[in-house]
Amino acid sequence: MADDTEQEPAAPRTPTGNPLHHVPLEITVSVGRARPLIGELMALGEGAVLALDSRVDDPVELYAGDRLIARGRLEESAADGGLAVRLTEIADLRSGL
């Protein structure tokens, strides 16, 4: 039977003895896209707003290079109030997301 209590987040996986597990990897989080005309882009100035094709509560996509590796939702970090991503879907890196 399902438990209605909120579960604690899973503990991070501990790297094994594989030296590659200690190489830093930059992750890019995509929150949306904009497709302005070049003339519109050139006319933008400080304080201008560039509308994206997504909403604040839409899922975001995480990329390593150009490879989609996960999806998630933006939230405020409890640790420092900064932005964080709660993962909702993780790619099987052998076969894709």
Side-chain angles (χ1 to χ4, degrees):
M1 183 174 210
D3 186 354
D4 290 340
T5 60
E6 189 172 316
Q7 294 181 351
E8 290 295 318
R13 295 180 185 146
T14 305
T16 65
N18 185 331
L20 290 177
H21 289 184
H22 301 282
V23 175
L25 177 67
E26 184 170 305
I27 303 295
T28 301
V29 178
S30 175
V31 298
R33 289 181 170 69
R35 292 174 182 82
L37 299 173
I38 291 175
E40 293 170 334
L41 185 63
M42 293 178 70
L44 293 176
E46 188 173 327
V49 175
L50 186 61
L52 301 177
D53 63 355
S54 59
R55 302 177 58 84
V56 169
D57 58 349
D58 283 349
V60 296
E61 295 179 331
L62 287 77
Y63 290 89
D66 62 355
R67 172 87 185 220
L68 178 64
I69 59 166
R71 289 189 178 98
R73 296 211 174 269
L74 290 177
E75 61 180 53
E76 187 174 348
S77 171
D80 63 4
L83 279 178
V85 178
R86 180 167 305 276
L87 301 181
T88 58
E89 188 177 358
I90 300 172
D92 174 350
L93 297 179
R94 285 163 273 173
S95 64
L97 189 63

